[in-house]
Amino acid sequence: MKSRLIAVGERAPRWVAEGFSEYQKRLSHWLPLELVEIEPGLRGKGRDAVRATQDEGARVLAALPKNACVVALEGRGRLWTSEQLAQRLEHWRGQGRDLAFLIGGPEGHAPEVLARADEQWSLGPLTLPHMLVRLVAAEQLYRAAALLVNHPYHRA
């Protein structure tokens, strides 16, 4: 099984890219995670934010692996403990499908993206910078995978 983190936004700050790369490397044995960066829609004075979100959504949907289980990171999604995320990961693995985790742009996901998602996952009630969400999601996926193999990384 392969997984993708499909994220709106390009050129992460170095500290985000390095942190993500570290968890990507750690995950490689249990859940290979590929980062796919999506070009943001055009925003600014005289630009339509709804149109920008729709454009991003179309690019996100085009980047989805065929028949993937899609999990949208969404503030109104389900909150999971690390143990519950591990259970979800075990469930997703049991489906035998590739996984795609989606991070939207500044206004969130386009309605079409949320409609395509099989599940919505919330990292909590805080508003996080979207680049930081990449790093937190990768770390939590690593933690979940480590839990499943009784690796000592998780000590709760």
Side-chain angles (χ1 to χ4, degrees), residues 12-31:
R14 189 177 83 233
W15 63 271
V16 170
E18 289 173 357
F20 182 86
S21 180
E22 175 63 26
Y23 286 108
Q24 186 179 39
K25 182 175 79 178
R26 291 182 186 195
L27 268 168
S28 65
H29 303 295
W30 301 322
L31 182 71

Side-chain angles (χ1 to χ4, degrees), residues 1-6 33 60 63-65 68-73 97-103 116-119:
M1 173 190 348
K2 296 180 184 176
S3 63
R4 282 188 185 169
L5 181 67
I6 301 172
L33 181 63
V60 165
L64 289 175
C69 176
V70 177
V71 181
L73 281 99
R97 299 162 57 194
D98 286 341
L99 282 168
F101 298 94
L102 312 180
I103 300 172
R116 171 58 185 88
D118 297 295
E119 298 192 50

